[in-house]
Amino acid sequence: MTNEAPDGTGRGGATSRREQLLSAAAELFARYGFHGVGIDDIGAAVGISGPALYRHFRGKDAMLGEMLTGISERLLHGGRARTVNTPDPITALEALVAWHVEFALTNSALITVHLRDLDSLAEPDRHRVRELQRGYVEVWVDTLLQCRTDLSEHTARASAHAVLGLINSTPHSARLDPTRMSELLHRMAMNALLTDRRADEDGHRRGVPDTR
């Protein structure tokens, strides 16, 4: 009989063996690359033999698939949850930015693995991840278009990709403590997404005519 609860956590909320293995694999994949890590390395990181890993996963490929599909699902569901029942589109956009910044700062290994090893996924997993990614970007696009009626859908999508790329660069560029880095990324993202809107609002307050 296992000590794991139905939700996958151990009794008292302890991390399950599967979660331990995925966490260890993410750190190793981020450090050495997917192809530079063997099952013995992953097993050793959590104190089991490599072959014992097969009790939990079919193999290394399955681990990578669950890892990247899992983070894509988390981002999509989290993004949707943060944009419903918000008082206005700007608040929804603020919530989206805060969500992705928090995710990037607390999951740097997963961000690194996703950016570098996505092409190592088996085709069905890669297709699923791409599908989830498109859904997540569309949450950003829909929210941004509500904030910026001056933007085309094409420009809104390009803007969303650019800001997500900025935030996702954090594992490679963070030089501040997490709180200050979070504030910096949030401010930069919001300024980038709303810069023309804010310029128009400032000009309107000063009585500057719109010459476009």
Side-chain angles (χ1 to χ4, degrees), residues 47-189:
I48 65 174
S49 67
L53 181 148
Y54 292 112
R55 293 174 54 195
H56 306 278
F57 296 95
R58 294 191 312 276
K60 197 174 66 165
D61 290 350
M63 295 186 76
L64 182 65
E66 183 166 329
M67 188 185 301
L68 297 189
T69 301
I71 65 170
S72 299
E73 289 174 343
R74 282 171 59 194
L75 285 169
L76 176 57
H77 296 157
R80 286 174 173 170
R82 284 159 177 78
T83 55
V84 298
N85 301 321
T86 51
D88 58 77
I90 298 295
T91 301
L93 188 62
E94 292 266 10
L96 266 182
V97 170
W99 162 236
H100 201 85
V101 168
E102 176 189 2
F103 184 90
L105 289 178
T106 55
N107 295 275
S108 60
L110 288 173
I111 294 289
T112 299
V113 174
H114 180 272
L115 293 175
R116 187 175 58 201
D117 293 316
L118 180 63
D119 288 341
S120 296
L121 285 174
E123 178 55 34
D125 287 330
R126 185 162 60 248
H127 177 78
R128 177 60 177 159
V129 168
R130 293 293 193 193
E131 184 178 53
L132 291 164
Q133 287 179 328
R134 285 193 293 270
Y136 183 52
V137 169
E138 290 312 301
V139 174
W140 280 73
V141 172
D142 292 344
T143 303
L144 184 56
L145 287 174
Q146 293 178 57
C147 299
R148 296 280 308 277
T149 57
D150 58 308
L151 293 183
S152 67
E153 184 175 324
H154 179 76
T155 301
R157 187 169 291 104
S159 299
H161 278 290
V163 166
L164 289 170
L166 164 69
I167 299 171
N168 285 341
S169 71
T170 299
H172 311 288
S173 61
R175 295 293 184 272
L176 302 175
D177 66 79
T179 298
R180 293 174 63 197
M181 195 68 196
S182 175
E183 292 170 351
L184 175 63
L185 287 170
H186 194 280
R187 184 168 62 253
M188 291 176 68

